[in-house]
Amino acid sequence: SAVISQKPSRDICQRGTSLTIQCQVDSQVTMMFWYRQQPGQSLTLIATANQGSEATYESGFVIDKFPISRPNLTFSTLTVSNMSPEDSSIYLCSVEAELTSGRAVTYEQYFGPGTRLTVT
Amino acid sequence: QKEVEQDPGPLSVPEGAIVSLNCTYSNSAFQYFMWYRQYSRKGPELLMYTYSSGNKEDGRFTAQVDKSSKYISLFIRDSQPSDSATYLCAMSAGGGSYIPTFGRGTSLIVHP
C-alpha cells in the first residue's frame, strides 16, 4: 500500500486568492488523482494528474481554475485559483492499486489525509 | 437521478447493534462494488470489495450485492464505538473504466 502525505492539512483563505496543495507519495506511481469532497456531497474526481503531460479534467472542472502539475512519479500539486466560498471543501489526492478477485481485476484508490480548505 | 444514491444519515446505534448501510445505483454496467471507511479528518480507506453479485464476509463485516435490484449493503455485526465513521459506497464498471463513482457517504455513530 502507498503512503500519501498532503500539505497543507488545512487552510483558511480569502476570496480571490489561490492556494497550492502538495501531494507526496512514498513510491513511484503511474496514476495520481485529485478529488473534491464537499460537505454532504459525494467524493468527486477533479482530474487525473499525468506525468509529463497535461492533466485530464472531468466534466465541470477546468485547467484555469484547477491547474495541476505532475513533475515526477511521486509528486503532484493542485492549485485552487481565484477562490470563492463555494470552493470550501476537502481536497484529496489519491493513487490507485490493483485489486484482484479471481480473474476479475479492478483498482482501489488510496487516499491522502486531505486538505481542508475554507474560503471566507 | 444520481448514479449512486446513499442516505447520509447520521445513523446512531448502541454498541453491539447490527448495522445495515445501503446504496442503490442506476448504472447496470457497474461490476465492482466497494465500501470505504472514512474517519474524521482522514482520507477514505478501502474496507470491502466485491465483484459482481453475492456476499463477502470479513470478520464483523459482510458486503452484499444484488445486481438485479441494483442494491448493495454493508452489514456490521457487534458494532463498536471504533466503527464510528463515514462509510462510502463506490462502484465501477471495469473494462478500462476503473475510476469509481462514490456515494455521499453515511455517517455512523456507535455510542457506548
Side-chain angles (χ1 to χ4, degrees), chain A:
Chain A
S1 64
V3 177
I4 304 171
S5 59
Q6 285 185 235
K7 290 181 182 179
S9 58
R10 62 191 311 153
D11 207 342
I12 301 173
C13 302
Q14 291 192 339
R15 69 173 66 207
T17 63
S18 299
L19 175 72
T20 295
I21 303 167
Q22 298 178 7
C23 177
Q24 179 76 52
V25 188
D26 69 341
S27 57
Q28 294 187 339
V29 293
T30 305
M31 308 288 279
M32 291 181 75
F33 307 90
W34 286 98
Y35 283 84
R36 183 173 72 182
Q37 189 174 31
Q38 293 180 306
Q41 302 297 315
S42 357
L43 208 54
T44 303
L45 181 65
I46 297 171
T48 302
N50 304 307
Q51 197 267 331
S53 64
E54 198 169 276
T56 304
Y57 289 84
E58 297 300 304
S59 175
F61 298 97
V62 295
I63 188 171
D64 289 346
K65 177 67 176 176
F66 297 101
I68 288 170
S69 78
R70 178 85 193 273
N72 57 52
L73 293 176
T74 63
F75 186 79
S76 178
T77 66
L78 169 76
T79 299
V80 186
S81 303
N82 187 24
M83 288 184 285
S84 67
E86 292 71 35
D87 295 319
S88 297
S89 183
I90 299 172
Y91 292 86
L92 293 146
C93 170
S94 79
V95 302
E96 65 180 11
E98 189 174 290
L99 277 174
T100 57
S101 176
R103 292 184 180 178
V105 177
T106 188
Y107 294 84
E108 70 167 294
Q109 301 282 314
Y110 281 102
F111 288 92
T115 296
R116 186 177 297 267
L117 170 62
T118 303
V119 184
T120 60

Side-chain angles (χ1 to χ4, degrees), chain B:
Chain B
Q1 181 191 11
K2 290 189 176 183
E3 268 196 303
V4 178
E5 297 278 3
Q6 185 177 11
D7 187 333
L11 178 62
S12 182
V13 301
E15 183 176 355
I18 297 174
V19 175
S20 173
L21 303 167
N22 311 293
C23 288
T24 59
Y25 63 95
S26 58
N27 187 346
S28 58
F30 287 145
Q31 299 271 15
Y32 301 89
F33 304 91
M34 292 153 277
W35 287 94
Y36 284 80
R37 179 175 60 195
Q38 185 175 21
Y39 290 113
S40 180
R41 304 191 187 285
K42 302 284 187 184
E45 57 180 352
L46 183 69
L47 185 62
M48 297 281 288
Y49 154 60
T50 309
Y51 170 67
S52 194
S53 284
N55 293 356
K56 187 174 184 178
E57 190 173 316
D58 184 1
R60 296 184 295 109
F61 299 88
T62 300
Q64 199 171 74
V65 174
D66 182 350
K67 289 184 67 180
S68 62
S69 302
K70 297 190 178 67
Y71 188 88
I72 72 170
S73 301
L74 177 70
F75 298 97
I76 307 174
R77 290 185 300 280
D78 187 26
S79 56
Q80 304 294 310
S82 58
D83 295 326
S84 298
T86 296
Y87 291 81
L88 300 95
C89 62
M91 42 201 83
S92 64
S97 176
Y98 296 113
I99 303 296
T101 300
F102 286 86
R104 295 166 63 184
T106 299
S107 175
L108 172 65
I109 301 166
V110 181
H111 50 86

